[in-house]
Amino acid sequence: MRGKVVIAGIGATAFGKLGRDTLSLNVEACRKALEDAAVPKDAVDAVFVKTPTSKREFMYGQQLAEALGITPRMGGAWDQGGAANISLITFAALAIEAGQCEVALVCYADNPRSGARDVYARPRGEDAAYGWFSTAAGYAMIHQRYRIEHAPPPEAFGEVAVAARAHGAANPNAQLRKPISMDDYLASPFVVEPMRRDDICLVSDGGAALVLMSAERAKRLSVARPVPILGFGHGQTSAALINRPTLTSTQARVSAETAFRMAGLGPADVDVAQIYDCFTITVLMTLEDYGFCPPGQAEGFVREGRLRSGGDLPFNTSGGLLSETGMPGLQLVQEAVRQMRGEAVLQRPGAEVALVSNQGGVMDTHATLILGGAA
């Protein structure tokens, strides 16, 4: 089904401290995505939504469909943490290809900046032996283990932060438009050692949405810039860190292998990458698991500005979670769409293949998406 389903429209709210409920944010993002695709609301027959992390709600998918004024044939809410967004794109694409729906909305909104954040620190399965175990603490353990095994200098992590912040500074819609130097990064305080403040993503309110349909239907409707889905893949591991065979590699490897195989491509074919950057350690490990460089050698790969605009592999060209918004995942897909349309602020000239990674929990779940150039 390579290329048979396209992303026909994208839409997003502002990001930051908005003081709004998640339904209103989702509705705004969906309305903008439908306007972008030039598709009427009545054409939508599927709504797939990631559940809000900050406040769990029963039958959230049905609540959203009602708020949209839509009675879809199929849909619902899904939770795999930040990996849920590409998972929902996968479900929608498979449903369209199987003839179960024709036009699908995929969306996510949350309000942790102004709402509740009670799920960010909690006992986590067998890891509960460590007490109240925050997400940041889990990533700090992985970060520390990576340092023990591979001994990267702090500048390796700093290069990720500096690149993301530079890209966010160029994005007029980014929540944090403040570039940093390597000296700034090294001077930033530790939050959960060995992670510094600038290793950690933003906390944001906001919403984002996509419109999916078949390539054939997009042609019939004269959709202006449909972006074909070339491949996707998924991987999962134990929720408890203590049950994993290693902390320095994840099922991102399996996810990427599946997506590359479906797309008939490899790492060398990728022109621009939107890599889940909840923490800087995530980016280094994802580059290795995806095959851009051997295990333990991401330090060398990111040197000399390779991740920056104009580098070999421009990454998170709208700022990512470290600068554009802490909303997990869907905005990375939207930036990949902009790159494939040729309309990104920091456009990679001639870009024809974009890769997106999503991740959930403390590297519990992973999903990969590969997009091609707009028709």
Side-chain angles (χ1 to χ4, degrees):
M1 60 178 293
R2 180 186 190 274
K4 291 185 177 180
V5 176
V6 302
I7 297 175
I10 60 175
T13 68
F15 302 116
K17 187 172 183 179
L18 306 179
R20 292 169 54 188
D21 67 83
T22 62
L23 285 175
S24 75
L25 294 168
N26 264 315
V27 168
E28 179 186 341
C30 288
R31 175 177 54 80
K32 290 180 175 178
L34 289 167
E35 289 174 353
D36 183 56
V39 173
K41 182 179 69 173
D42 292 345
V44 176
D45 56 359
V47 178
F48 299 89
V49 61
K50 180 189 180 302
T51 56
T53 301
S54 299
K55 182 182 179 184
R56 305 292 183 183
E57 295 190 48
F58 182 65
M59 299 293 282
Y60 187 81
Q62 279 59 48
Q63 291 185 55
L64 176 58
E66 184 175 40
L68 289 166
I70 292 172
T71 305
R73 281 201 279 169
M74 67 181 307
W78 185 252
D79 178 31
Q80 282 186 311
N85 297 290
I86 291 177
S87 293
L88 291 173
I89 293 170
T90 300
F91 298 156
L94 292 172
I96 290 167
E97 176 65 8
Q100 297 297 304
C101 64
E102 295 184 350
V103 178
L105 280 168
V106 173
C107 56
Y108 171 53
D110 209 348
N111 59 359
R113 181 83 181 201
S114 57
R117 279 189 280 163
D118 58 346
V119 298
Y120 284 83
R122 64 198 185 282
R124 292 175 49 88
E126 294 185 48
D127 291 335
Y130 297 107
W132 282 90
F133 193 81
S134 71
T135 299
Y139 279 93
M141 290 177 66
I142 293 172
H143 188 131
Q144 179 70 345
R145 185 64 205 176
Y146 186 91
R147 290 179 62 203
I148 290 170
E149 292 186 16
H150 303 304
E155 287 83 356
F157 304 95
E159 180 58 35
V160 173
V162 170
R165 293 284 291 275
H167 298 164
N171 177 6
N173 298 313
Q175 178 179 337
L176 181 60
R177 300 186 63 200
K178 184 178 180 181
I180 57 171
S181 67
M182 186 63 72
D183 287 342
D184 293 331
Y185 169 81
L186 295 173
S188 67
F190 290 111
V191 176
V192 185
E193 199 167 358
M195 293 195 310
R196 304 171 186 273
R197 178 195 61 209
D198 294 333
D199 287 307
I200 301 172
C201 71
L202 305 176
V203 177
S204 313
D205 301 340
L210 310 172
V211 178
L212 274 68
M213 63 180 66
S214 69
E216 181 182 353
R217 185 178 181 86
K219 186 176 182 179
R220 290 201 312 268
L221 294 176
S222 299
V223 172
R225 295 160 294 175
V227 172
I229 296 173
L230 303 183
F232 42 71
H234 305 270
Q236 301 185 24
T237 190
S238 169
L241 296 179
I242 61 173
N243 288 336
R244 299 180 193 175
T246 176
L247 292 183
T248 55
S249 180
T250 73
Q251 292 300 299
R253 176 180 55 81
V254 174
S255 176
E257 287 174 355
T258 305
F260 280 130
R261 184 168 59 250
M262 179 178 173
L265 300 170
D269 298 305
V270 176
D271 297 310
V272 61
Q274 312 301 327
I275 297 178
Y276 202 85
D277 57 338
C278 51
F279 300 88
T280 56
I281 178 60
T282 313
V283 176
L284 298 184
M285 286 177 51
T286 300
L287 289 169
E288 294 173 2
D289 285 336
Y290 274 29
F292 288 103
C293 55
Q297 295 187 27
E299 170 209 344
F301 184 85
V302 303
R303 285 179 186 166
E304 300 174 358
R306 295 182 72 179
L307 297 182
R308 303 189 197 188
S309 179
D312 295 346
L313 186 71
F315 118 105
N316 293 13
T317 45
S318 59
L321 280 74
L322 289 167
S323 188
E324 182 183 21
T325 172
M327 287 290 299
L330 204 54
Q331 86 283 3
L332 298 175
V333 178
Q334 296 200 342
E335 176 64 7
V337 169
R338 289 188 286 265
Q339 286 284 346
M340 293 298 91
R341 289 176 170 179
E343 62 183 31
V345 173
L346 296 176
Q347 179 66 42
R348 173 76 184 267
E352 296 181 348
V353 176
L355 176 145
V356 188
S357 76
N358 274 186
Q359 183 186 260
V362 184
M363 300 193 184
D364 302 346
T365 57
H366 201 94
T368 309
L369 181 69
I370 300 174
L371 302 179

